[in-house]
Amino acid sequence: RKEVEQDPGPFNVPEGATVAFNCTYSNSASQSFFWYRQDCRKEPKLLMSVYSSGNEDGRFTAQLNRASQYISLLIRDSKLSDSATYLCVVNGGNTPLVFGKGTRLSVIA
Amino acid sequence: GAGVSQSPRYKVAKRGQDVALRCDPISGHVSLFWYQQALGQGPEFLTYFQNEAQLDKSGLPSDRFFAERPEGSVSTLKIQRTQQEDSAVYLCASSGQGAKGSPLHFGNGTRLTVT
């Protein structure tokens, strides 16, 4: 089992829709969790950290479920500019940050 | 500039050539990471420095890959006798904190094509 697993998608959604991505991780010792966004042929950029109590940043909500070892990202009122690949990132104890393969989102007009 | 800077942006090498990729992290950042990203994949960890010390090189795929950060700032990733499977984007990232769980700031990457 890979350390971090994501559904690769693509998720094709209309503008204004709500979309959610899940990500599972295998290392129960993981302490830090992030969502990164990567546009085509660009570098990954931090979207948001994920905190134990869950956190929100505008239209984006991230949640962590330690018991089931997954994190989620919810995007409300999708915009065309949200089209990108969303990378789930986890650190595990002494290991550096491990990236999932990413979930591709296309928001359609 | 304020961000992580990588050079060259693009590199084409013939199979068997040696290449050197440079990373200039954000000033003052102690942690520096190298990742390899193949097309359609997420970034894969290669190696990690804290200041000049290489603390983890478990992700380097073979002994043809070598990284250094002699003065704790600029880092170079060297690939000897390049092979076609080395074709990928090589991403450098830095972090202002020593802890490995801190968010990373990435450079634009170097796209290596081995022909």
Side-chain angles (χ1 to χ4, degrees):
Chain A
R1 183 184 172 188
K2 284 195 68 81
E3 284 194 69
V4 179
E5 294 202 61
Q6 297 182 249
D7 181 343
F11 284 63
N12 300 313
V13 303
E15 270 188 292
T18 296
V19 62
F21 312 134
N22 281 342
C23 161
T24 58
Y25 61 94
S26 60
N27 190 336
S28 58
S30 297
Q31 294 294 324
S32 303
F33 309 89
F34 309 94
W35 284 102
Y36 277 70
R37 171 194 169 126
Q38 187 170 28
D39 293 287
C40 188
R41 301 179 80 85
K42 300 281 191 182
E43 74 276 18
K45 291 187 176 174
L46 179 67
L47 179 66
M48 60 197 300
S49 302
V50 185
Y51 302 120
S52 296
S53 54
N55 48 300
E56 193 173 300
D57 182 1
R59 298 181 293 107
F60 299 84
T61 301
Q63 302 234 309
L64 167 65
N65 184 319
R66 285 190 187 273
S68 301
Q69 293 182 205
Y70 77 83
I71 67 174
S72 64
L73 178 67
L74 182 80
I75 306 175
R76 289 182 300 279
D77 188 22
S78 300
K79 312 290 185 192
L80 293 175
S81 57
D82 294 334
S83 298
T85 295
Y86 291 84
L87 298 162
C88 171
V89 187
V90 174
N91 100 304
N94 293 323
T95 62
L97 293 182
V98 180
F99 286 74
K101 289 188 176 182
T103 297
R104 209 164 87 232
L105 171 66
S106 288
V107 181
I108 305 160
Chain B
V4 177
S5 177
Q6 290 188 246
S7 62
R9 284 296 307 275
Y10 303 94
K11 177 69 180 177
V12 179
K14 290 188 176 174
R15 192 160 56 95
Q17 279 185 332
D18 297 349
V19 297
L21 313 180
R22 176 190 167 104
C23 173
D24 207 331
I26 293 172
S27 178
H29 276 193
V30 300
S31 297
L32 185 147
F33 300 77
W34 283 98
Y35 283 81
Q36 180 192 59
Q37 187 172 25
L39 192 63
Q41 304 294 314
E44 296 278 349
F45 169 76
L46 293 177
T47 187
Y48 158 63
F49 291 86
Q50 189 164 321
N51 296 306
E52 69 278 4
Q54 190 174 19
L55 299 187
D56 189 339
K57 54 181 181 179
S58 61
L60 296 176
S62 78
D63 58 8
R64 297 185 295 105
F65 287 70
F66 172 76
E68 60 183 4
R69 194 187 186 197
E71 296 176 1
S73 54
V74 171
S75 177
T76 304
L77 176 67
K78 297 179 179 177
I79 309 173
Q80 297 176 322
R81 304 181 304 281
T82 52
Q83 303 294 315
Q84 284 193 313
E85 63 262 27
D86 300 335
S87 296
V89 176
Y90 290 85
L91 293 162
C92 176
S94 69
S95 170
Q97 298 166 6
K100 289 181 183 177
S102 305
L104 304 180
H105 302 267
F106 282 89
N108 291 333
T110 293
R111 185 175 297 275
L112 173 65
T113 303
V114 181
T115 60

